Amino acid sequence: MLNIHNLSVSFSGEYLFKEISFKLISGDRVGLIGKNGAGKSTLLKLLSKEAEFDSGSIAYEKDLKIGFLKQDIDFEKGRTVLDEAYQAFSEIKILEKKQNQINSELSERIDYESNSYLSLIEELSEVNERYELIGGYNYQGQTEKILQGLGFERIDFLKNTDTFSGGWRMRIELAKLLLQDNDILLLDEPTNHLDIESIIWLESFLKSFSGAVVIVSHDKMFLNNVTSRTIDISLGRIYDFNKPYSKYLVLREEIKLQQISAQKNQDKHIQHTEKLIEKFRAKASKASMAQSLIKKIQKIDRIEVDQDDNSIMKLNFNISINPGKVIAEVENLSKNFGTNKVLENINLLVERKSKIAFVGQNGQGKSTLAKILVGELESSSGNCKLGHNVQIGYFAQNQAEYLDGSKTVLQTMIDSANENNRSKVRDILGSFLFRGEDVEKYVRVLSGGERNRLALAKLLLQPLNVLVMDEPTNHLDIKSKNVLKQALIKFDGTLILVSHDRDFLQKLTNKVYEFKNQKIKEFLGDIDHYLDQRQVESFREIEKKEKIISTNKKSVNNQAKRSIKKKINNIESKISKLEREISKIDQNLIENYDTTVSSPNFFENYDKKKSELETLMKKWEKLNLL
């Protein structure tokens, strides 16, 4: 399907990766891993032809279709869910415009016999033929089917995309990729912003996808569940093994140990040979033997030990001043977005040095409440009061919206600094692995992980005694996640974390709030204790249980709907039969009144049929309102 040969890319004279080679074939499930800034997203852009390389080659099969899911989804404002999903059918939409244009022109013409009119008719015929060939008459139904499969209801189809959370926007983008019928899928951090239910769906979809998949992700469980091959970018090289992530790490470590052992044995052999050379050089009779040994050493292929990039950022949050005992008090708080009610009558007391986790599915209000606490949003009703001397540091879920892409890394920090810490900006950037010319990079060219590191660095420039962090591990590599976790464990202030990452949350919090159905429920203890109380081992199990309950409810509802439909059909049949009988009697009354009414109990039976018809009509109306 795709062949990469001796590919090299450099920035500012330094190689991001040099002369890397690998192939992709149908059915490949590749996990592309490496540190933030190692070049993972760049490699995906190269494969999708969105970026250029310095040297080497990428060979594609003819008519190969590649779908690329980027880290940050930027939808055009004003589009509905359906409008955005229809972007998957670019040629169909172009043909529709052409059809409308030609039909409009034809409607204004009266020169039906002219050559130009006949040419338009011919052109319209060709457009219609192509339109039908590529599925123009089926794409709308297909789109609705896929969207419903991804959890959207019909009432969602005409809502604007900007009214949905990041996870739901990701589903729209996934729907577009699915509708495009691609041969290769390139997915850059696909689980960011997704709740567990969405991740489980994505895993299932990728396992059944017939083409090749390349995934950049720092979600260990997701990689282990989906991939069967790992490509690790480290210090400009790649390590390619047919193993899922965790098995690859074990194998890589075993290979390194073997390399170290082999290198030691080779060094001993070389040292022994060099001693012999020195010894033989002293004797004229042994000079030829010395030269022979020298040539032998020169021909030895020196064993190298694979090097890893072990540089990590340094992070430590210090509190500015001690706040009062109460950090925040939320009373009867509700929040609506138009007709969409997200939170209703929420009551919450955050005390000094609390360590709190907000958990729950996407769209349940976790980020919304976090934004209200930090003053980014106003509540629809109720109150949110901050305590005495509270200074909040806020880490937003989508850093692309909070960082100015037109500024450099250094400018971003300087603009956020004050007189007391401006002189420390370069030192802080260095501790976050922005060194040398890295500080002159524009924010818009940074990877997702680099943007998150910059956002964390910015937090250190402001006075804070409370940290509110919304999905802070999105985009961060595994080593950076561990550094952040250790810094938060040491943090002596108040912490509120919104996260789906159980590994990250372990031992970080002492209270969990579960968001569900516009309400919150408190669980004392850390995330493991919360899961114990919910009698599950992971967030995934909670989502699966909720899904089963939801499926059962839908099943019950569907059974009820089928039962109602059956009753309606039965009543409609009876109504139709009665109407025919009454109509026949009425006709007989007109044609032969005396004979008709002379039948025994005629009027009693006639009135009975009319009364029965009226009763059935009322039942029919009630059932149709259910």
Side-chain angles (χ1 to χ4, degrees):
M1 297 182 83
L2 191 151
N3 190 0
I4 296 91
H5 182 66
N6 288 339
L7 199 70
S8 297
V9 172
S10 62
F11 288 107
S12 303
E14 289 189 16
Y15 280 103
L16 194 58
F17 35 78
K18 187 176 182 180
E19 297 182 352
I20 64 170
S21 299
F22 63 92
K23 293 180 181 179
L24 283 180
I25 62 173
S26 185
D28 269 344
R29 300 287 183 272
V30 180
L32 186 60
I33 66 170
K35 287 191 61 179
N36 293 141
K40 304 183 296 296
S41 296
T42 299
L43 184 54
L44 293 190
K45 288 177 183 176
L46 292 169
L47 297 180
S48 66
K49 303 180 183 178
E50 288 198 6
E52 296 181 356
F53 46 87
D54 296 341
S55 61
S57 63
I58 305 179
Y60 301 87
E61 276 186 8
K62 189 179 179 182
D63 299 326
L64 190 72
K65 293 177 69 176
I66 299 176
F68 184 19
L69 181 72
K70 301 174 186 177
Q71 280 185 12
D72 298 309
I73 299 170
D74 188 19
F75 288 159
E76 185 177 309
K77 287 191 175 180
R79 282 180 183 162
T80 65
V81 171
L82 272 181
D83 290 336
E84 189 61 47
Y86 288 159
Q87 299 307 305
F89 304 98
S90 54
E91 186 180 357
I92 287 176
K93 301 306 286 183
I94 290 169
L95 290 173
E96 282 183 342
K97 285 183 181 178
K98 192 69 176 174
Q99 285 173 327
N100 293 334
Q101 180 187 331
I102 296 172
N103 283 321
S104 176
E105 194 172 338
L106 286 172
S107 68
E108 296 171 359
R109 300 277 292 267
I110 57 172
D111 54 333
Y112 308 122
E113 302 297 328
S114 68
N115 288 334
S116 59
Y117 188 90
L118 294 174
S119 294
L120 275 177
I121 293 290
E122 188 176 341
E123 185 181 0
L124 180 60
S125 177
E126 289 174 359
V127 170
N128 287 342
E129 188 177 335
R130 176 63 183 168
Y131 185 76
E132 183 176 8
L133 182 66
I134 63 174
Y137 298 108
N138 304 319
Y139 81 95
Q140 292 177 330
Q142 189 182 1
T143 300
E144 291 180 11
K145 182 180 177 182
I146 292 297
L147 287 172
Q148 285 181 307
L150 289 171
F152 289 94
E153 303 287 343
R154 284 192 171 275
I155 57 172
D156 297 326
F157 290 172
L158 298 180
K159 292 179 182 177
N160 283 353
T161 57
D162 53 10
T163 64
F164 289 89
S165 66
W168 285 100
R169 289 200 296 271
M170 181 73 77
R171 292 192 199 197
I172 299 170
E173 194 68 13
L174 284 168
K176 285 160 63 177
L177 291 184
L178 182 55
L179 289 163
Q180 286 168 350
D181 192 25
N182 293 293
D183 302 301
I184 296 177
L185 290 180
L186 308 174
L187 308 179
D188 198 353
E189 298 285 6
T191 61
N192 282 355
H193 313 302
L194 289 187
D195 55 27
I196 306 301
E197 183 182 354
S198 309
I199 293 172
I200 292 169
W201 175 87
L202 181 57
E203 287 178 355
S204 176
F205 163 63
L206 293 177
K207 286 174 184 176
S208 62
F209 179 66
S210 60
V213 182
V214 182
I215 304 166
V216 172
S217 179
H218 298 119
D219 185 330
K220 292 183 288 186
M221 185 177 289
F222 180 72
L223 287 173
N224 286 332
N225 286 345
V226 173
T227 65
S228 56
R229 177 181 171 192
T230 301
I231 295 178
D232 185 1
I233 302 177
S234 180
L235 299 173
R237 297 180 60 187
I238 66 166
Y239 302 91
D240 186 357
F241 292 92
N242 287 319
K243 298 284 183 184
Y245 176 73
S246 292
K247 290 183 179 178
Y248 157 73
L249 290 181
V250 174
L251 181 62
R252 176 87 192 277
E253 195 58 34
E254 288 175 356
I255 290 171
K256 279 184 67 176
L257 291 174
Q258 290 171 4
Q259 287 174 340
I260 291 169
S261 177
Q263 188 185 59
K264 285 180 179 178
N265 289 334
Q266 187 182 66
D267 287 344
K268 285 180 182 178
H269 173 67
I270 291 171
Q271 288 170 10
H272 177 69
T273 304
E274 285 174 342
K275 286 179 181 178
L276 287 176
I277 290 169
E278 290 300 317
K279 185 178 178 182
F280 291 160
R281 271 178 175 167
K283 298 178 181 179
S285 60
K286 301 284 188 180
S288 61
M289 291 180 67
Q291 289 301 315
S292 176
L293 289 172
I294 289 171
K295 288 178 182 179
K296 190 176 178 181
I297 284 180
Q298 289 173 344
K299 289 180 181 178
I300 289 176
D301 188 9
R302 301 292 177 113
I303 295 170
E304 293 184 1
V305 177
D306 294 338
Q307 297 299 309
D308 290 326
D309 187 352
N310 292 314
S311 56
I312 58 173
M313 66 177 182
K314 297 173 184 175
L315 179 58
N316 189 34
F317 294 108
N318 296 312
I319 64 169
S320 48
I321 54 175
N322 281 318
K325 185 178 179 182
V326 174
I327 297 298
E329 189 171 5
V330 175
E331 294 179 320
N332 300 322
L333 184 143
S334 297
K335 179 62 182 176
N336 306 330
F337 293 97
T339 57
N340 182 25
K341 184 175 286 186
V342 179
L343 298 169
E344 183 178 18
N345 294 329
I346 300 298
N347 292 288
L348 173 68
L349 182 67
V350 180
E351 295 183 305
R352 184 176 59 220
K353 295 192 177 183
S354 294
K355 309 292 182 184
I356 295 170
F358 286 176
V359 303
Q361 290 179 302
N362 279 349
Q364 293 294 330
K366 304 184 300 296
S367 296
T368 298
L369 184 55
K371 287 180 179 179
I372 292 172
L373 286 169
V374 302
E376 288 277 322
L377 282 178
E378 290 186 3
S379 61
S380 301
S381 62
N383 297 308
C384 176
K385 298 176 184 176
L386 296 183
H388 180 62
N389 281 342
V390 169
Q391 296 178 329
I392 298 178
Y394 176 48
F395 185 96
Q397 183 179 137
N398 189 356
Q399 287 303 319
E401 295 176 7
Y402 289 83
L403 296 171
D404 188 343
S406 65
K407 290 182 180 180
T408 65
V409 170
L410 185 59
Q411 284 174 327
T412 300
M413 289 290 284
I414 289 174
D415 291 348
S416 301
N418 55 44
E419 291 182 4
N420 296 325
N421 56 30
R422 193 165 287 119
S423 61
K424 300 176 183 177
V425 160
R426 285 186 178 272
D427 290 337
I428 293 172
L429 284 173
S431 68
F432 281 81
L433 307 181
F434 293 106
R435 296 163 184 158
E437 294 182 359
D438 290 340
V439 301
E440 299 302 333
K441 284 183 179 178
Y442 284 97
V443 170
R444 63 174 174 267
V445 304
L446 298 179
S447 70
E450 287 172 324
R451 280 202 298 271
N452 274 23
R453 291 209 311 265
L454 179 58
L456 289 170
K458 270 185 66 180
L459 275 180
L460 299 187
L461 294 174
Q462 66 181 88
L464 57 87
N465 45 37
V466 178
L467 274 173
V468 177
M469 310 191 87
D470 193 351
E471 299 290 0
T473 60
N474 280 354
H475 306 294
L476 286 183
D477 59 50
I478 292 162
K479 289 180 181 176
S480 297
K481 277 187 190 182
N482 292 335
V483 171
L484 174 59
K485 181 171 181 175
Q486 292 308 311
L488 293 178
I489 288 173
K490 294 176 185 175
F491 179 53
D492 199 34
T494 305
L495 177 65
I496 298 175
L497 273 174
V498 180
S499 181
H500 293 110
D501 190 332
R502 175 184 178 175
D503 289 341
F504 182 73
L505 288 174
Q506 280 177 325
K507 300 179 182 177
L508 262 183
T509 62
N510 52 31
K511 195 178 291 185
V512 175
Y513 285 97
E514 182 183 64
F515 286 64
K516 186 179 178 183
N517 299 328
Q518 297 99 44
K519 304 291 185 182
I520 63 172
K521 185 176 180 181
E522 181 184 84
F523 293 82
L524 297 177
D526 70 356
I527 197 68
D528 288 335
H529 186 63
Y530 157 72
L531 292 171
D532 286 342
Q533 287 181 285
R534 296 286 263 112
Q535 296 183 330
V536 292
E537 291 185 2
S538 67
F539 289 148
R540 287 173 175 248
E541 286 191 37
I542 291 175
E543 297 290 349
K544 284 178 179 176
K545 277 189 174 183
E546 298 291 345
K547 198 170 183 180
I548 289 169
I549 291 169
S550 175
T551 302
N552 289 340
K553 283 182 179 177
K554 283 182 180 178
S555 177
V556 170
N557 288 338
N558 288 337
Q559 287 176 5
K561 285 178 182 177
R562 283 195 293 270
S563 175
I564 291 168
K565 182 68 177 173
K566 189 175 180 180
K567 288 178 181 177
I568 289 171
N569 290 338
N570 189 31
I571 289 173
E572 285 176 348
S573 177
K574 289 179 179 178
I575 288 171
S576 180
K577 184 181 178 184
L578 274 171
E579 284 178 337
R580 285 197 303 271
E581 289 175 0
I582 291 169
S583 177
K584 189 176 180 181
I585 294 170
D586 288 341
Q587 188 66 30
N588 288 337
L589 283 170
I590 294 169
E591 294 175 354
N592 198 343
Y593 179 82
D594 292 335
T595 304
T596 304
V597 298
S598 64
S599 301
N601 303 320
F602 167 75
F603 287 107
E604 184 181 339
N605 290 333
Y606 185 48
D607 289 340
K608 186 179 178 182
K609 286 182 187 293
K610 283 192 169 184
S611 176
E612 188 178 348
L613 178 62
E614 188 178 346
T615 301
L616 286 172
M617 288 298 294
K618 286 178 180 178
K619 283 185 179 180
W620 182 87
E621 286 177 10
K622 284 182 180 179
L623 286 170
N624 275 285
L625 289 172
L626 293 175

